[in-house]
Amino acid sequence: MGRKIAIVGAGAVGGYAGAHMVQAGEDVTFIDPWPEHVEHMRRHGLRVTTPWTVEEFSVPVRALHVTDAQQLAKEAPVDIAFVCMKSYDTAWATMLIRQYLAPDGFVVSLQNCMNEETIAGIVGWGKTLGCIASSITVNLPEPGHIHRGAGKHGAAHTVFAPAKCTAASRSGRKKFAAWSATPTAPRSPAISGASAGRNWSPTSWATVCPPAPACPAARWLQSEQIRRFSTRLGSEAIRVGQALGYQLEEILHLAPETIARAGEGDEAAMRACDEQRFADGKRTSSAQRPSMGQDMVKGRRTEIEFLTVLWCARARSSACHAAPTPC
C-alpha cells in the first residue's frame, strides 16, 4: 500500500500540490477550514488551470472540513502531513494533525515564511521538514479552482525543495527523498542540506512585495522607483541572512550577492536584476498578484509579521549586531 498523505490547508499551494499528487495516484486527504471550498471539492473535485500551454485538469478528491478531521481516528494513520496554512495558523494546524500521524510519520511545512520551529515545537524536530515551493505562483480565485499564474520552467527549475532542519530530522528527509523519487511524487523535487539558508532566500525575495503588494507584479515592475525600493528591501534581508551565517541559495535565478549589491547601488547588479525580473515577468500572467496582495484584495490578514517583520527582528538579534542594518 502507498503512503497516506494529508494536506492541511487546501488553498493555492496545498491544493495545487495535492491535486497533482491525486492525479499521480497518491492517497490524499484534504483538510480545510473554508466550508464552500470543501463542499465544492466534495461535489466537483479540484480544478487546476494555467494561462498558457499546460492543459487544465480536474481530479476527484477526498475533502474534510476541519470539524470532520476526527474521522481520521478510525483510519490508518497519516504517513506524510503537509501543513499548507497561512503562517499564523501553523500551530493549530500542526496540533490538529499530530494526533493522526503514524509512529514514523512526519510533517512538512509547505508554506511561505519560516515555520519549522513552530511545527517542531509541537511534533519534535525528528518529525519536521521544511519545503520550498519555488516560483509556483498560484492562487485560489474561487472554491475548487486553483490557478497557476506562470508557466512551468521545466527540468532546469526545482519546484519542491525539502531541506533538513536539524540532524534529528535526517530520518524524515530520507523517507521524503524515497517518496519523492517514486513515479507518483510531484515533479522537480530536490533535497537540500541547508534549511535556514534555503528558507531565508525566498523570505528575502518576499520582502520586495510590500511596496505595492495589492498591484499585479506586471504593473509595479514598470515603476523604476518601486523596483529600486523593493530591491533595496531584498538586499537588506540578504545581508541580515548572511550576518546570521545562513548559506543563501539562488533567488529566482539570481545570485544573492547580485541582489544585495543592486540594493546598495551597484549599477551592473541593478541591470542584471532588472533583466531577470523582466524576463520572469514575461512568463507570469499580468493579473498575478503576490500572496500578500491576494490577501489584501480578499480583505484577509497578511503574513507581513512572518516576512518583513521577521527579518527586522532577526536584524535586531544579538547574532546580527555586527552587521549594519536599517532595523
Side-chain angles (χ1 to χ4, degrees), residues 18-20 22-23 30 41 44-48 57-61:
H20 281 81
V22 172
Q23 187 184 46
F30 294 85
M41 287 190 289
H44 308 289
L46 262 178
R47 176 180 170 228
V48 177
F57 68 91
S58 296
V59 289
V61 300

Side-chain angles (χ1 to χ4, degrees), residues 51-105:
W52 285 292
T53 57
V54 180
E55 284 191 19
E56 69 173 73
F57 68 91
S58 296
V59 289
V61 300
R62 184 195 187 199
L64 300 177
H65 188 267
V66 290
T67 58
D68 298 321
Q70 43 78 28
Q71 295 178 20
L72 296 176
K74 302 178 182 179
E75 305 172 7
V78 173
D79 297 298
I80 307 175
F82 289 86
V83 171
C84 305
M85 301 293 296
K86 292 293 184 179
S87 294
Y88 46 76
D89 288 325
T90 299
W92 71 256
T94 306
M95 187 69 73
L96 174 74
I97 202 62
R98 179 184 67 174
Q99 59 193 309
Y100 306 117
L101 283 178
D104 61 348

Side-chain angles (χ1 to χ4, degrees), residues 13 17 21 64-65 79 95 110 117 120 125 128 130-131 151 159 163 173 188 215 219 234 305:
V13 173
M21 294 180 203
L64 300 177
H65 188 267
D79 297 298
M95 187 69 73
L110 186 57
E117 187 173 351
W125 282 111
T128 302
C131 184
V159 178
R173 285 181 70 221
S188 299
C215 294
R219 284 178 56 189
E305 67 262 45

Side-chain angles (χ1 to χ4, degrees), residues 35 104 155 208 238 243 262 267-268 285 304 321:
D104 61 348
V208 308
I238 288 168
E267 292 188 3
S285 168
I304 187 71
H321 279 173

Side-chain angles (χ1 to χ4, degrees), residues 220-254:
W220 62 262
L221 274 179
Q222 300 303 316
S223 169
E224 182 176 1
Q225 185 176 13
I226 293 178
R227 289 201 312 275
R228 296 291 171 261
F229 179 51
S230 65
T231 302
R232 176 60 177 167
L233 290 177
S235 172
E236 291 172 359
I238 288 168
R239 293 305 188 206
V240 171
Q242 291 172 336
L244 291 170
Y246 297 156
Q247 297 178 8
L248 302 182
E249 301 191 5
E250 186 180 77
I251 303 172
L252 294 182
H253 311 292
L254 286 166

